[in-house]
mmCIF file of all heavy atoms in Angstrom:
data_model
loop_
_atom_site.group_PDB
_atom_site.id
_atom_site.type_symbol
_atom_site.label_atom_id
_atom_site.label_comp_id
_atom_site.label_asym_id
_atom_site.label_seq_id
_atom_site.Cartn_x
_atom_site.Cartn_y
_atom_site.Cartn_z
ATOM 1 N N ALA A 212 0.815 -1.208 0.000
ATOM 2 C CA ALA A 212 -0.025 0.003 0.001
ATOM 3 C C ALA A 212 0.869 1.256 -0.003
ATOM 4 O O ALA A 212 0.620 2.185 -0.778
ATOM 5 C CB ALA A 212 -0.946 0.006 1.217
ATOM 6 N N ALA A 213 1.880 1.280 0.875
ATOM 7 C CA ALA A 213 2.739 2.472 0.995
ATOM 8 C C ALA A 213 3.538 2.744 -0.273
ATOM 9 O O ALA A 213 3.881 3.915 -0.562
ATOM 10 C CB ALA A 213 3.686 2.324 2.159
ATOM 11 N N GLY A 214 3.815 1.702 -1.042
ATOM 12 C CA GLY A 214 4.571 1.889 -2.259
ATOM 13 C C GLY A 214 3.735 2.099 -3.492
ATOM 14 O O GLY A 214 3.798 3.173 -4.136
ATOM 15 N N LEU A 215 2.902 1.157 -3.815
ATOM 16 C CA LEU A 215 2.207 1.167 -5.087
ATOM 17 C C LEU A 215 1.114 2.223 -5.199
ATOM 18 O O LEU A 215 0.737 2.653 -6.277
ATOM 19 C CB LEU A 215 1.587 -0.221 -5.393
ATOM 20 C CG LEU A 215 2.577 -1.359 -5.556
ATOM 21 C CD1 LEU A 215 1.858 -2.614 -5.896
ATOM 22 C CD2 LEU A 215 3.603 -1.015 -6.621
ATOM 23 N N LEU A 216 0.609 2.756 -4.052
ATOM 24 C CA LEU A 216 -0.417 3.771 -4.091
ATOM 25 C C LEU A 216 0.146 5.158 -4.131
ATOM 26 O O LEU A 216 -0.614 6.156 -4.254
ATOM 27 C CB LEU A 216 -1.391 3.580 -2.931
ATOM 28 C CG LEU A 216 -2.196 2.277 -2.855
ATOM 29 C CD1 LEU A 216 -3.130 2.265 -1.676
ATOM 30 C CD2 LEU A 216 -2.948 2.080 -4.163
ATOM 31 N N ARG A 217 1.440 5.296 -3.975
ATOM 32 C CA ARG A 217 2.035 6.591 -3.928
ATOM 33 C C ARG A 217 1.795 7.491 -5.192
ATOM 34 O O ARG A 217 1.616 8.671 -5.076
ATOM 35 C CB ARG A 217 3.543 6.485 -3.619
ATOM 36 C CG ARG A 217 4.257 7.811 -3.429
ATOM 37 C CD ARG A 217 5.611 7.624 -2.764
ATOM 38 N NE ARG A 217 6.374 8.842 -2.748
ATOM 39 C CZ ARG A 217 7.416 8.991 -1.938
ATOM 40 N NH1 ARG A 217 7.825 8.039 -1.154
ATOM 41 N NH2 ARG A 217 8.044 10.195 -1.931
ATOM 42 N N PRO A 218 1.828 6.850 -6.370
ATOM 43 C CA PRO A 218 1.548 7.711 -7.559
ATOM 44 C C PRO A 218 0.157 8.400 -7.485
ATOM 45 O O PRO A 218 0.022 9.513 -8.067
ATOM 46 C CB PRO A 218 1.589 6.680 -8.710
ATOM 47 C CG PRO A 218 2.471 5.553 -8.176
ATOM 48 C CD PRO A 218 2.201 5.492 -6.755
ATOM 49 N N ILE A 219 -0.755 7.818 -6.771
ATOM 50 C CA ILE A 219 -2.101 8.455 -6.678
ATOM 51 C C ILE A 219 -1.941 9.774 -5.942
ATOM 52 O O ILE A 219 -2.585 10.830 -6.302
ATOM 53 C CB ILE A 219 -3.054 7.544 -5.957
ATOM 54 C CG1 ILE A 219 -3.310 6.270 -6.776
ATOM 55 C CG2 ILE A 219 -4.396 8.255 -5.699
ATOM 56 C CD1 ILE A 219 -4.196 5.248 -6.102
ATOM 57 N N GLY A 220 -1.132 9.815 -4.924
ATOM 58 C CA GLY A 220 -0.910 11.027 -4.125
ATOM 59 C C GLY A 220 -0.313 12.149 -5.023
ATOM 60 O O GLY A 220 -0.777 13.297 -4.962
ATOM 61 N N GLY A 221 0.642 11.817 -5.862
ATOM 62 C CA GLY A 221 1.227 12.774 -6.765
ATOM 63 C C GLY A 221 0.274 13.188 -7.843
ATOM 64 O O GLY A 221 0.221 14.350 -8.235
ATOM 65 N N TYR A 222 -0.496 12.239 -8.360
ATOM 66 C CA TYR A 222 -1.429 12.529 -9.484
ATOM 67 C C TYR A 222 -2.538 13.476 -9.026
ATOM 68 O O TYR A 222 -2.838 14.434 -9.667
ATOM 69 C CB TYR A 222 -2.038 11.217 -10.002
ATOM 70 C CG TYR A 222 -3.166 11.458 -11.018
ATOM 71 C CD1 TYR A 222 -2.800 11.830 -12.313
ATOM 72 C CD2 TYR A 222 -4.466 11.358 -10.676
ATOM 73 C CE1 TYR A 222 -3.829 12.090 -13.258
ATOM 74 C CE2 TYR A 222 -5.476 11.567 -11.576
ATOM 75 C CZ TYR A 222 -5.153 11.966 -12.861
ATOM 76 O OH TYR A 222 -6.143 12.156 -13.776
ATOM 77 N N VAL A 223 -3.072 13.224 -7.800
ATOM 78 C CA VAL A 223 -4.131 14.093 -7.311
ATOM 79 C C VAL A 223 -3.582 15.522 -7.086
ATOM 80 O O VAL A 223 -4.292 16.522 -7.394
ATOM 81 C CB VAL A 223 -4.725 13.554 -5.987
ATOM 82 C CG1 VAL A 223 -5.681 14.574 -5.342
ATOM 83 C CG2 VAL A 223 -5.431 12.212 -6.234
ATOM 84 N N SER A 224 -2.370 15.619 -6.594
ATOM 85 C CA SER A 224 -1.750 16.958 -6.401
ATOM 86 C C SER A 224 -1.615 17.674 -7.743
ATOM 87 O O SER A 224 -1.977 18.857 -7.859
ATOM 88 C CB SER A 224 -0.373 16.795 -5.746
ATOM 89 O OG SER A 224 0.221 18.046 -5.503
ATOM 90 N N ASP A 225 -1.123 16.949 -8.749
ATOM 91 C CA ASP A 225 -1.054 17.585 -10.101
ATOM 92 C C ASP A 225 -2.440 17.954 -10.635
ATOM 93 O O ASP A 225 -2.584 19.041 -11.191
ATOM 94 C CB ASP A 225 -0.426 16.525 -11.111
ATOM 95 C CG ASP A 225 1.055 16.379 -10.947
ATOM 96 O OD1 ASP A 225 1.671 17.220 -10.242
ATOM 97 O OD2 ASP A 225 1.622 15.445 -11.544
ATOM 98 N N LEU A 226 -3.408 17.098 -10.417
ATOM 99 C CA LEU A 226 -4.749 17.336 -10.930
ATOM 100 C C LEU A 226 -5.373 18.546 -10.288
ATOM 101 O O LEU A 226 -5.966 19.412 -10.986
ATOM 102 C CB LEU A 226 -5.624 16.093 -10.705
ATOM 103 C CG LEU A 226 -7.042 16.119 -11.290
ATOM 104 C CD1 LEU A 226 -7.013 16.140 -12.773
ATOM 105 C CD2 LEU A 226 -7.865 14.944 -10.766
ATOM 106 N N LEU A 227 -5.273 18.673 -9.007
ATOM 107 C CA LEU A 227 -5.872 19.827 -8.304
ATOM 108 C C LEU A 227 -5.192 21.096 -8.716
ATOM 109 O O LEU A 227 -5.823 22.151 -8.898
ATOM 110 C CB LEU A 227 -5.758 19.631 -6.763
ATOM 111 C CG LEU A 227 -6.587 18.485 -6.193
ATOM 112 C CD1 LEU A 227 -6.288 18.358 -4.686
ATOM 113 C CD2 LEU A 227 -8.087 18.699 -6.417
ATOM 114 N N ALA A 228 -3.856 21.066 -8.851
ATOM 115 C CA ALA A 228 -3.131 22.247 -9.297
ATOM 116 C C ALA A 228 -3.504 22.672 -10.742
ATOM 117 O O ALA A 228 -3.669 23.854 -11.019
ATOM 118 C CB ALA A 228 -1.621 22.031 -9.158
ATOM 119 N N ARG A 229 -3.635 21.671 -11.562
ATOM 120 C CA ARG A 229 -3.951 21.919 -13.001
ATOM 121 C C ARG A 229 -5.355 22.490 -13.143
ATOM 122 O O ARG A 229 -5.596 23.390 -13.955
ATOM 123 C CB ARG A 229 -3.792 20.606 -13.813
ATOM 124 C CG ARG A 229 -3.779 20.811 -15.289
ATOM 125 C CD ARG A 229 -3.197 19.612 -16.034
ATOM 126 N NE ARG A 229 -3.875 18.352 -15.691
ATOM 127 C CZ ARG A 229 -3.283 17.355 -15.036
ATOM 128 N NH1 ARG A 229 -2.022 17.445 -14.652
ATOM 129 N NH2 ARG A 229 -3.967 16.232 -14.793
ATOM 130 N N LYS A 230 -6.278 21.949 -12.394
ATOM 131 C CA LYS A 230 -7.699 22.352 -12.512
ATOM 132 C C LYS A 230 -8.036 23.516 -11.557
ATOM 133 O O LYS A 230 -9.153 24.018 -11.556
ATOM 134 C CB LYS A 230 -8.591 21.177 -12.264
ATOM 135 C CG LYS A 230 -8.566 20.116 -13.335
ATOM 136 C CD LYS A 230 -9.571 19.028 -13.081
ATOM 137 C CE LYS A 230 -9.636 18.036 -14.213
ATOM 138 N NZ LYS A 230 -10.093 18.575 -15.500
ATOM 139 N N GLU A 231 -7.053 23.874 -10.706
ATOM 140 C CA GLU A 231 -7.229 24.949 -9.727
ATOM 141 C C GLU A 231 -8.489 24.707 -8.918
ATOM 142 O O GLU A 231 -9.369 25.557 -8.824
ATOM 143 C CB GLU A 231 -7.256 26.303 -10.431
ATOM 144 C CG GLU A 231 -6.006 26.663 -11.193
ATOM 145 C CD GLU A 231 -6.013 28.023 -11.812
ATOM 146 O OE1 GLU A 231 -7.146 28.638 -11.842
ATOM 147 O OE2 GLU A 231 -4.953 28.498 -12.218
ATOM 148 N N ARG A 232 -8.566 23.547 -8.256
ATOM 149 C CA ARG A 232 -9.731 23.138 -7.516
ATOM 150 C C ARG A 232 -9.467 23.136 -6.042
ATOM 151 O O ARG A 232 -8.500 22.459 -5.572
ATOM 152 C CB ARG A 232 -10.159 21.750 -7.977
ATOM 153 C CG ARG A 232 -11.447 21.230 -7.324
ATOM 154 C CD ARG A 232 -11.916 19.962 -8.011
ATOM 155 N NE ARG A 232 -12.236 20.192 -9.406
ATOM 156 C CZ ARG A 232 -12.511 19.228 -10.257
ATOM 157 N NH1 ARG A 232 -12.451 17.981 -9.866
ATOM 158 N NH2 ARG A 232 -12.777 19.570 -11.494
ATOM 159 N N ASP A 233 -10.271 23.818 -5.271
ATOM 160 C CA ASP A 233 -10.198 23.804 -3.799
ATOM 161 C C ASP A 233 -10.945 22.639 -3.245
ATOM 162 O O ASP A 233 -12.111 22.364 -3.646
ATOM 163 C CB ASP A 233 -10.743 25.102 -3.192
ATOM 164 C CG ASP A 233 -9.882 26.337 -3.504
ATOM 165 O OD1 ASP A 233 -8.702 26.253 -3.219
ATOM 166 O OD2 ASP A 233 -10.437 27.325 -3.981
ATOM 167 N N ILE A 234 -10.328 21.908 -2.288
ATOM 168 C CA ILE A 234 -11.032 20.777 -1.642
ATOM 169 C C ILE A 234 -11.206 21.029 -0.155
ATOM 170 O O ILE A 234 -11.827 20.248 0.540
ATOM 171 C CB ILE A 234 -10.268 19.463 -1.854
ATOM 172 C CG1 ILE A 234 -8.847 19.575 -1.252
ATOM 173 C CG2 ILE A 234 -10.257 19.106 -3.322
ATOM 174 C CD1 ILE A 234 -8.125 18.238 -1.233
ATOM 175 N N LEU A 235 -10.739 22.173 0.360
ATOM 176 C CA LEU A 235 -10.883 22.574 1.772
ATOM 177 C C LEU A 235 -11.385 24.013 1.806
ATOM 178 O O LEU A 235 -11.006 24.819 0.973
ATOM 179 C CB LEU A 235 -9.595 22.456 2.538
ATOM 180 C CG LEU A 235 -9.063 21.053 2.916
ATOM 181 C CD1 LEU A 235 -7.731 21.169 3.609
ATOM 182 C CD2 LEU A 235 -10.079 20.308 3.809
ATOM 183 N N PRO A 236 -12.156 24.348 2.826
ATOM 184 C CA PRO A 236 -12.608 25.734 2.966
ATOM 185 C C PRO A 236 -11.443 26.659 3.452
ATOM 186 O O PRO A 236 -11.624 27.869 3.398
ATOM 187 C CB PRO A 236 -13.701 25.626 4.063
ATOM 188 C CG PRO A 236 -13.382 24.440 4.816
ATOM 189 C CD PRO A 236 -12.835 23.466 3.836
ATOM 190 N N VAL A 237 -10.359 26.071 3.868
ATOM 191 C CA VAL A 237 -9.154 26.872 4.239
ATOM 192 C C VAL A 237 -8.068 26.644 3.193
ATOM 193 O O VAL A 237 -8.192 25.788 2.346
ATOM 194 C CB VAL A 237 -8.668 26.433 5.612
ATOM 195 C CG1 VAL A 237 -9.624 26.823 6.748
ATOM 196 C CG2 VAL A 237 -8.393 24.936 5.666
ATOM 197 N N PHE A 238 -7.019 27.449 3.283
ATOM 198 C CA PHE A 238 -5.923 27.416 2.291
ATOM 199 C C PHE A 238 -6.412 27.637 0.863
ATOM 200 O O PHE A 238 -5.933 27.028 -0.069
ATOM 201 C CB PHE A 238 -5.166 26.074 2.328
ATOM 202 C CG PHE A 238 -4.885 25.509 3.721
ATOM 203 C CD1 PHE A 238 -4.976 24.202 3.969
ATOM 204 C CD2 PHE A 238 -4.493 26.400 4.778
ATOM 205 C CE1 PHE A 238 -4.730 23.687 5.235
ATOM 206 C CE2 PHE A 238 -4.238 25.859 6.016
ATOM 207 C CZ PHE A 238 -4.366 24.513 6.282
ATOM 208 N N THR A 239 -7.385 28.539 0.730
ATOM 209 C CA THR A 239 -7.985 28.815 -0.589
ATOM 210 C C THR A 239 -6.913 29.153 -1.607
ATOM 211 O O THR A 239 -6.076 30.049 -1.394
ATOM 212 C CB THR A 239 -9.009 29.977 -0.474
ATOM 213 O OG1 THR A 239 -9.991 29.567 0.457
ATOM 214 C CG2 THR A 239 -9.689 30.188 -1.843
ATOM 215 N N GLY A 240 -6.972 28.551 -2.770
ATOM 216 C CA GLY A 240 -6.073 28.781 -3.847
ATOM 217 C C GLY A 240 -4.754 28.056 -3.746
ATOM 218 O O GLY A 240 -3.957 28.105 -4.689
ATOM 219 N N ARG A 241 -4.505 27.424 -2.635
ATOM 220 C CA ARG A 241 -3.266 26.614 -2.474
ATOM 221 C C ARG A 241 -3.598 25.145 -2.629
ATOM 222 O O ARG A 241 -3.840 24.444 -1.685
ATOM 223 C CB ARG A 241 -2.648 26.890 -1.049
ATOM 224 C CG ARG A 241 -2.383 28.340 -0.731
ATOM 225 C CD ARG A 241 -1.525 29.044 -1.799
ATOM 226 N NE ARG A 241 -0.277 28.390 -2.087
ATOM 227 C CZ ARG A 241 0.622 28.891 -2.897
ATOM 228 N NH1 ARG A 241 0.424 30.027 -3.558
ATOM 229 N NH2 ARG A 241 1.768 28.215 -3.104
ATOM 230 N N TYR A 242 -3.699 24.705 -3.874
ATOM 231 C CA TYR A 242 -4.255 23.428 -4.218
ATOM 232 C C TYR A 242 -3.452 22.259 -3.747
ATOM 233 O O TYR A 242 -3.954 21.274 -3.174
ATOM 234 C CB TYR A 242 -4.545 23.357 -5.695
ATOM 235 C CG TYR A 242 -5.256 24.605 -6.225
ATOM 236 C CD1 TYR A 242 -4.541 25.530 -7.010
ATOM 237 C CD2 TYR A 242 -6.511 24.950 -5.855
ATOM 238 C CE1 TYR A 242 -5.138 26.693 -7.453
ATOM 239 C CE2 TYR A 242 -7.111 26.091 -6.280
ATOM 240 C CZ TYR A 242 -6.419 26.986 -7.063
ATOM 241 O OH TYR A 242 -7.044 28.139 -7.501
ATOM 242 N N ARG A 243 -2.169 22.329 -3.986
ATOM 243 C CA ARG A 243 -1.273 21.198 -3.588
ATOM 244 C C ARG A 243 -1.216 21.175 -2.077
ATOM 245 O O ARG A 243 -1.211 20.061 -1.449
ATOM 246 C CB ARG A 243 0.166 21.383 -4.153
ATOM 247 C CG ARG A 243 0.234 21.226 -5.666
ATOM 248 C CD ARG A 243 1.701 21.205 -6.080
ATOM 249 N NE ARG A 243 1.913 21.298 -7.510
ATOM 250 C CZ ARG A 243 1.865 20.247 -8.390
ATOM 251 N NH1 ARG A 243 1.619 19.045 -7.897
ATOM 252 N NH2 ARG A 243 2.091 20.429 -9.648
ATOM 253 N N GLU A 244 -1.156 22.297 -1.407
ATOM 254 C CA GLU A 244 -1.071 22.311 0.056
ATOM 255 C C GLU A 244 -2.346 21.725 0.693
ATOM 256 O O GLU A 244 -2.248 21.013 1.725
ATOM 257 C CB GLU A 244 -0.903 23.786 0.516
ATOM 258 C CG GLU A 244 0.466 24.369 0.298
ATOM 259 C CD GLU A 244 0.675 24.954 -1.093
ATOM 260 O OE1 GLU A 244 -0.206 24.713 -1.960
ATOM 261 O OE2 GLU A 244 1.652 25.677 -1.278
ATOM 262 N N GLN A 245 -3.526 22.005 0.138
ATOM 263 C CA GLN A 245 -4.769 21.461 0.686
ATOM 264 C C GLN A 245 -4.685 19.920 0.694
ATOM 265 O O GLN A 245 -5.050 19.296 1.673
ATOM 266 C CB GLN A 245 -5.920 21.949 -0.118
ATOM 267 C CG GLN A 245 -6.262 23.411 0.053
ATOM 268 C CD GLN A 245 -7.420 23.855 -0.843
ATOM 269 O OE1 GLN A 245 -8.287 23.035 -1.187
ATOM 270 N NE2 GLN A 245 -7.417 25.076 -1.298
ATOM 271 N N TRP A 246 -4.281 19.366 -0.401
ATOM 272 C CA TRP A 246 -4.224 17.914 -0.536
ATOM 273 C C TRP A 246 -3.223 17.316 0.429
ATOM 274 O O TRP A 246 -3.475 16.316 1.097
ATOM 275 C CB TRP A 246 -3.908 17.535 -1.952
ATOM 276 C CG TRP A 246 -3.667 16.075 -2.214
ATOM 277 C CD1 TRP A 246 -2.591 15.500 -2.773
ATOM 278 C CD2 TRP A 246 -4.572 14.972 -1.926
ATOM 279 N NE1 TRP A 246 -2.728 14.141 -2.865
ATOM 280 C CE2 TRP A 246 -3.943 13.787 -2.362
ATOM 281 C CE3 TRP A 246 -5.840 14.878 -1.386
ATOM 282 C CZ2 TRP A 246 -4.512 12.505 -2.216
ATOM 283 C CZ3 TRP A 246 -6.452 13.608 -1.209
ATOM 284 C CH2 TRP A 246 -5.751 12.480 -1.643
ATOM 285 N N THR A 247 -2.054 17.932 0.554
ATOM 286 C CA THR A 247 -1.075 17.460 1.470
ATOM 287 C C THR A 247 -1.560 17.481 2.940
ATOM 288 O O THR A 247 -1.359 16.516 3.667
ATOM 289 C CB THR A 247 0.230 18.322 1.403
ATOM 290 O OG1 THR A 247 0.755 18.243 0.070
ATOM 291 C CG2 THR A 247 1.308 17.820 2.400
ATOM 292 N N PHE A 248 -2.270 18.547 3.316
ATOM 293 C CA PHE A 248 -2.796 18.638 4.669
ATOM 294 C C PHE A 248 -3.803 17.536 4.971
ATOM 295 O O PHE A 248 -3.782 16.949 6.017
ATOM 296 C CB PHE A 248 -3.436 20.053 4.882
ATOM 297 C CG PHE A 248 -3.927 20.274 6.252
ATOM 298 C CD1 PHE A 248 -3.073 20.591 7.281
ATOM 299 C CD2 PHE A 248 -5.272 20.149 6.539
ATOM 300 C CE1 PHE A 248 -3.502 20.764 8.584
ATOM 301 C CE2 PHE A 248 -5.737 20.369 7.825
ATOM 302 C CZ PHE A 248 -4.838 20.695 8.875
ATOM 303 N N VAL A 249 -4.681 17.291 4.021
ATOM 304 C CA VAL A 249 -5.704 16.206 4.212
ATOM 305 C C VAL A 249 -5.029 14.903 4.411
ATOM 306 O O VAL A 249 -5.409 14.069 5.327
ATOM 307 C CB VAL A 249 -6.625 16.150 2.989
ATOM 308 C CG1 VAL A 249 -7.481 14.902 3.008
ATOM 309 C CG2 VAL A 249 -7.582 17.385 2.955
ATOM 310 N N THR A 250 -4.002 14.582 3.627
ATOM 311 C CA THR A 250 -3.323 13.292 3.750
ATOM 312 C C THR A 250 -2.589 13.133 5.068
ATOM 313 O O THR A 250 -2.576 12.051 5.658
ATOM 314 C CB THR A 250 -2.396 13.057 2.585
ATOM 315 O OG1 THR A 250 -1.368 14.076 2.578
ATOM 316 C CG2 THR A 250 -3.090 13.039 1.250
ATOM 317 N N LEU A 251 -2.018 14.242 5.577
ATOM 318 C CA LEU A 251 -1.308 14.162 6.858
ATOM 319 C C LEU A 251 -2.286 13.874 8.012
ATOM 320 O O LEU A 251 -1.960 13.121 8.915
ATOM 321 C CB LEU A 251 -0.551 15.487 7.134
ATOM 322 C CG LEU A 251 0.597 15.837 6.199
ATOM 323 C CD1 LEU A 251 1.225 17.178 6.589
ATOM 324 C CD2 LEU A 251 1.662 14.726 6.202
ATOM 325 N N CYS A 252 -3.428 14.531 7.959
ATOM 326 C CA CYS A 252 -4.442 14.242 8.977
ATOM 327 C C CYS A 252 -4.907 12.776 8.940
ATOM 328 O O CYS A 252 -5.101 12.162 9.992
ATOM 329 C CB CYS A 252 -5.644 15.146 8.766
ATOM 330 S SG CYS A 252 -5.340 16.904 9.134
ATOM 331 N N PHE A 253 -5.014 12.253 7.729
ATOM 332 C CA PHE A 253 -5.405 10.860 7.570
ATOM 333 C C PHE A 253 -4.357 9.903 8.217
ATOM 334 O O PHE A 253 -4.741 8.906 8.874
ATOM 335 C CB PHE A 253 -5.611 10.541 6.125
ATOM 336 C CG PHE A 253 -6.113 9.108 5.866
ATOM 337 C CD1 PHE A 253 -7.396 8.748 6.136
ATOM 338 C CD2 PHE A 253 -5.222 8.170 5.342
ATOM 339 C CE1 PHE A 253 -7.834 7.439 5.941
ATOM 340 C CE2 PHE A 253 -5.677 6.864 5.118
ATOM 341 C CZ PHE A 253 -6.976 6.524 5.392
ATOM 342 N N VAL A 254 -3.102 10.210 8.090
ATOM 343 C CA VAL A 254 -2.048 9.376 8.635
ATOM 344 C C VAL A 254 -2.179 9.307 10.175
ATOM 345 O O VAL A 254 -2.111 8.252 10.781
ATOM 346 C CB VAL A 254 -0.638 9.931 8.278
ATOM 347 C CG1 VAL A 254 0.431 9.221 9.092
ATOM 348 C CG2 VAL A 254 -0.359 9.701 6.810
ATOM 349 N N VAL A 255 -2.429 10.455 10.797
ATOM 350 C CA VAL A 255 -2.575 10.505 12.285
ATOM 351 C C VAL A 255 -3.699 9.649 12.714
ATOM 352 O O VAL A 255 -3.609 8.832 13.655
ATOM 353 C CB VAL A 255 -2.777 11.948 12.748
ATOM 354 C CG1 VAL A 255 -3.014 11.985 14.269
ATOM 355 C CG2 VAL A 255 -1.520 12.830 12.466
ATOM 356 N N LEU A 256 -4.842 9.734 12.062
ATOM 357 C CA LEU A 256 -6.008 8.990 12.398
ATOM 358 C C LEU A 256 -5.783 7.455 12.288
ATOM 359 O O LEU A 256 -6.216 6.648 13.121
ATOM 360 C CB LEU A 256 -7.227 9.382 11.568
ATOM 361 C CG LEU A 256 -7.793 10.806 11.803
ATOM 362 C CD1 LEU A 256 -8.865 11.129 10.814
ATOM 363 C CD2 LEU A 256 -8.243 10.951 13.265
ATOM 364 N N THR A 257 -5.099 7.056 11.236
ATOM 365 C CA THR A 257 -4.871 5.602 10.983
ATOM 366 C C THR A 257 -3.906 5.054 12.073
ATOM 367 O O THR A 257 -3.992 3.881 12.393
ATOM 368 C CB THR A 257 -4.297 5.362 9.581
ATOM 369 O OG1 THR A 257 -3.104 6.108 9.398
ATOM 370 C CG2 THR A 257 -5.330 5.731 8.526
ATOM 371 N N MET A 258 -2.995 5.847 12.548
ATOM 372 C CA MET A 258 -2.050 5.352 13.598
ATOM 373 C C MET A 258 -2.836 5.083 14.874
ATOM 374 O O MET A 258 -2.546 4.132 15.576
ATOM 375 C CB MET A 258 -0.936 6.328 13.801
ATOM 376 C CG MET A 258 0.098 6.318 12.709
ATOM 377 S SD MET A 258 0.980 4.697 12.632
ATOM 378 C CE MET A 258 2.105 4.884 14.005
ATOM 379 N N PHE A 259 -3.792 5.959 15.236
ATOM 380 C CA PHE A 259 -4.630 5.667 16.394
ATOM 381 C C PHE A 259 -5.411 4.378 16.109
ATOM 382 O O PHE A 259 -5.608 3.524 17.012
ATOM 383 C CB PHE A 259 -5.587 6.759 16.640
ATOM 384 C CG PHE A 259 -4.971 7.954 17.351
ATOM 385 C CD1 PHE A 259 -4.887 9.210 16.762
ATOM 386 C CD2 PHE A 259 -4.407 7.841 18.620
ATOM 387 C CE1 PHE A 259 -4.342 10.279 17.416
ATOM 388 C CE2 PHE A 259 -3.786 8.899 19.303
ATOM 389 C CZ PHE A 259 -3.758 10.131 18.662
#
C-alpha cells in the first residue's frame, strides 16, 4: 500500500493544481497544500 499507491498522491496533487480546484474551505487557492494537509491528517487517524 505504501509503495504502489504513492503515484495516486502525486497525481491528485497535479490534478488539483492543474484544474485549480479547492477541496478545503481553508488554504484557498493553495491546491497542492490542501491535498497534502488532508493526507497528513489521515495518517494521524490511522495510527490511532
Side-chain angles (χ1 to χ4, degrees):
L215 295 183
L216 298 181
R217 184 164 174 163
I219 297 175
Y222 174 76
V223 173
S224 183
D225 283 350
L226 184 66
L227 294 175
R229 193 163 55 245
K230 292 185 175 294
E231 299 183 348
R232 182 171 298 170
D233 290 309
I234 59 172
L235 285 177
V237 292
F238 318 140
T239 303
R241 307 304 306 184
Y242 313 108
R243 293 189 190 274
E244 286 86 347
Q245 290 176 29
W246 173 236
T247 300
F248 183 78
V249 167
T250 60
L251 294 179
C252 291
F253 182 72
V254 168
V255 175
L256 292 175
T257 57
M258 284 296 282
F259 283 118

